[in-house]
Amino acid sequence: MSRHEDPLQPFPPGRRARMAAVVAVLLATMLAGTALLGLAGGFITACALAAGAASGFNFFSPSAGIRALTFARIASRYFEKLLGHDAMLRLARDLRSWFFRRALPLAPARLGRMRTGALMARLLDDIAQVEGRLVRALGPLLAMLGLGLAAVAWAAWILPEAGLVLAAAMLLLGPASALPVAWDGLRREARDVRLQERLRVRVHEGIEGAADLAAMGATRAWAARVDAAAARLARAGRQRQRRVSAAAMGMSLVGAATLLAMLALSLQAAHAGRIGAVEAAALGFATLALLETWAGAGLAWQALLAGQASARRLHALVAQPPAVGDPPRPVPVPERGALHLEEVCFAHPDGRALLDGLDLRLRPGERVVVAGDSGSGKSTLLALVLRVLEPQAGRIAWAGIDLRRFHQADWHARLAWAPQDAPVFAGSVRANLRMGDPQAGEAAMWRALEALRLDARVRAAGGLDCEAGEGGALLSGGEARRLALARALLRPGPLLLLDEPLEGLDVDAAEALLLDLERALGRRSLLLVSHAPVPAALPWRRLRLEQGRLQEV
């Protein structure tokens, strides 16, 4: 699929042939099942009328047709599952690639405003609803429509009045199956997804903060809030089931009237000699099979509605403009240079000024530490240098060139970055380090570990392929922090940005880490924001951020 195509469309251009094949095999399965029951009903009736006499009774043709339709239905069901799962998995791949490609430029400025549980609902629930539209909604509904048209044509060929009965049934069954589900459905779906998000948020935050909740004795109160959210979602689920049940009841009433009308009409035609008894029985049994197949229309309409609502939510999320855009004609990023911030201003969304005419010049190879109170704008300063935010006034330049003239990916390739809560991912130490530089060899990895005095610990644990654990669970806090810094040091960029790298470390461990970092930096520049004091032995430039400006310490 082209990167410019939208997989949220009901029939994405790059997948239409496969989706048409899925609908075709669904239709083949329904046709085979309906024809099988109609032929079998007529055959049984013919056998009964023949009363066991072989003369004048064609036994072999109907039985051969029944066997053929049985095998056709088995084959079509097999290909229905095969092609349906293939199309669904391909669409799932396209959806996830599309979503991440569109959503990543929104992080963190746009997505950071969403709670984790709400974002997970988009990523898991909404994408699952959209990717399942073909096999749960669109495919069955189109196949039912094709089956109905074929049945009307066949019935009209045998008995014109029978075709009219089935056509009228189709016209009535459509609204009967759709209206109870679709009436005000998008509003109800929006309400239901809010309830689901609320429950997911509460569960996620409860798991993340389980230790704090236990320490404060608030676990029971939190569990009660989770139970209340689950109860509200369960009530919404029961309301949804009642709507589907109402659709099923309406379809059952229409179906019963259709079957009675068809039986009365076919028997009357057989009595009048217009059709034979076998054809009359075939019409009755085929109608029964047709109504049984159409009984799933309510669930299909519900799945279609849920998929449509999910597609709208995904579109609304990724349609936000990114906080930072790329220039139409980006210029190459110089390999080395000075970082210069000139009269930079940035205000919080509530209007509170964070940076007010800030000036900073970081020369090649220079180390600068920025201290400041919480909320003073230190992390915002790094976000502006990373260019995930744009200054509202002023200019940030590298080697004399405004950052806005660079492609974001090219600029990020010149940076090494470790955030305050730099994650250690589940997997091996090698896999964690390669996130810093996928091309790094073992020698470079060991040098980075040795520079931060982590090599002996890794060797003792079995080498680079030893497990780090989920969130660094198999490492101490200091070791996990050093591994994250080693990953940043592996990047070949000339500028290293660190946000509170000493958080949670004791004084001795923090001082040792900074001394090791100084030795490992080499010719790189460093911009570090930290509350912790920097050892006096380090010849680093020290600044303090107050009232939106930097002052020498």
Side-chain angles (χ1 to χ4, degrees), residues 172-255:
L172 291 174
L173 285 171
S177 62
L179 286 179
V181 174
W183 185 266
D184 202 23
L186 289 177
R187 184 191 64 82
R188 289 196 299 261
E189 283 292 327
R191 179 206 61 190
D192 292 352
V193 80
R194 286 196 298 271
L195 293 175
Q196 193 169 29
E197 284 182 5
R198 191 173 303 165
L199 175 60
R200 190 182 289 276
V201 165
R202 295 204 188 287
V203 171
H204 180 268
E205 292 180 350
I207 293 173
E208 290 290 312
D212 293 331
L213 290 172
M216 294 184 294
T219 302
R220 182 173 298 178
W222 189 270
R225 296 175 67 184
V226 171
D227 289 341
R232 286 191 291 269
L233 183 60
R235 283 197 298 271
R238 288 193 293 272
Q239 292 174 3
R240 184 186 300 110
Q241 289 300 320
R242 283 196 291 269
R243 294 194 298 271
V244 174
S245 298
M249 179 179 294
M251 294 186 66
S252 297
L253 293 174
V254 174

Side-chain angles (χ1 to χ4, degrees), residues 4 29 87 112 167 207 252 263 265 343 413 420 445 470 513 534:
H4 301 293
T29 301
I207 293 173
S252 297
L263 290 174
L265 186 63
E343 295 293 321
Q420 179 174 352
M445 293 183 189
E470 181 77 30
L513 181 60
V534 175

Side-chain angles (χ1 to χ4, degrees), residues 83-431:
L83 295 177
H85 282 85
D86 176 73
M88 189 170 172
L89 290 173
R90 290 174 185 271
L91 183 59
R93 178 198 63 190
D94 293 341
L95 275 168
R96 282 158 175 78
S97 299
W98 171 86
F99 181 80
F100 279 108
R101 188 167 58 244
R102 297 284 300 271
L104 284 178
L106 303 177
R110 298 283 189 253
L111 297 186
R113 301 173 185 175
M114 295 185 67
R115 300 174 81 169
T116 303
L119 188 57
M120 287 176 62
R122 298 290 185 273
L123 181 59
L124 300 176
D125 302 331
D126 284 338
I127 287 182
Q129 289 287 356
V130 173
E131 73 187 28
R133 277 188 304 183
L134 174 62
V135 296
R136 291 196 293 263
L138 291 170
L141 288 173
L142 290 173
M144 288 177 196
L145 176 61
L147 174 65
L149 295 175
V152 168
W154 171 76
W157 176 66
I158 295 178
L159 185 65
E161 296 92 326
L164 292 176
V165 169
L166 290 184
M170 285 184 64
L171 293 176
L172 291 174
L173 285 171
S177 62
L179 286 179
V181 174
W183 185 266
D184 202 23
L186 289 177
R187 184 191 64 82
R188 289 196 299 261
E189 283 292 327
R191 179 206 61 190
D192 292 352
V193 80
R194 286 196 298 271
L195 293 175
Q196 193 169 29
E197 284 182 5
R198 191 173 303 165
L199 175 60
R200 190 182 289 276
V201 165
R202 295 204 188 287
V203 171
H204 180 268
E205 292 180 350
I207 293 173
E208 290 290 312
D212 293 331
L213 290 172
M216 294 184 294
T219 302
R220 182 173 298 178
W222 189 270
R225 296 175 67 184
V226 171
D227 289 341
R232 286 191 291 269
L233 183 60
R235 283 197 298 271
R238 288 193 293 272
Q239 292 174 3
R240 184 186 300 110
Q241 289 300 320
R242 283 196 291 269
R243 294 194 298 271
V244 174
S245 298
M249 179 179 294
M251 294 186 66
S252 297
L253 293 174
V254 174
T258 301
L259 184 58
L260 288 175
M262 182 62 73
L263 290 174
L265 186 63
S266 59
L267 290 175
Q268 182 181 13
H271 181 72
R274 297 175 59 195
I275 60 174
V278 173
E279 287 82 2
L283 282 172
F285 279 99
T287 301
L288 185 62
L290 186 65
L291 293 172
E292 183 181 356
T293 301
W294 279 345
L299 289 174
W301 283 116
Q302 177 63 47
L304 182 63
L305 184 67
Q308 182 182 359
S310 293
R312 289 188 178 187
R313 287 190 292 270
L314 291 172
H315 259 307
L317 177 63
V318 301
Q320 303 176 78
V324 174
D326 288 321
R329 295 184 180 83
V331 301
V333 182
E335 291 189 8
R336 294 188 62 80
L339 179 70
H340 193 189
L341 286 77
E342 305 175 75
E343 295 293 321
V344 170
C345 297
F346 190 87
H348 195 271
D350 63 7
R352 178 172 54 90
L354 292 174
L355 306 178
D356 185 15
L358 181 143
D359 288 290
L360 172 65
R361 185 173 184 84
L362 180 64
R363 294 182 294 274
E366 187 178 13
R367 285 74 151 130
V368 172
V369 181
V370 176
D373 298 332
S374 296
S376 61
K378 303 188 302 298
S379 295
T380 301
L381 170 62
L382 288 182
L384 291 169
V385 174
L386 283 164
R387 203 165 173 262
V388 295
L389 295 176
E390 292 277 29
Q392 294 159 350
R395 174 175 179 263
I396 305 177
W398 172 258
I401 305 173
D402 195 309
L403 296 188
R404 285 170 286 205
R405 299 183 61 192
F406 300 145
H407 194 288
Q408 272 186 287
D410 296 340
W411 171 237
H412 291 162
R414 295 283 184 259
L415 303 175
W417 155 244
Q420 179 174 352
D421 299 316
V424 173
F425 299 96
S428 65
V429 170
R430 183 194 305 274

Side-chain angles (χ1 to χ4, degrees), residues 9 14 17 79 121 205 236 263 328 330 370 408 429 460 465-466 507 517 538:
Q9 297 179 35
F79 284 105
E205 292 180 350
L263 290 174
V370 176
Q408 272 186 287
V429 170
D465 292 318
C466 70
V507 175
L517 180 62
L538 291 174

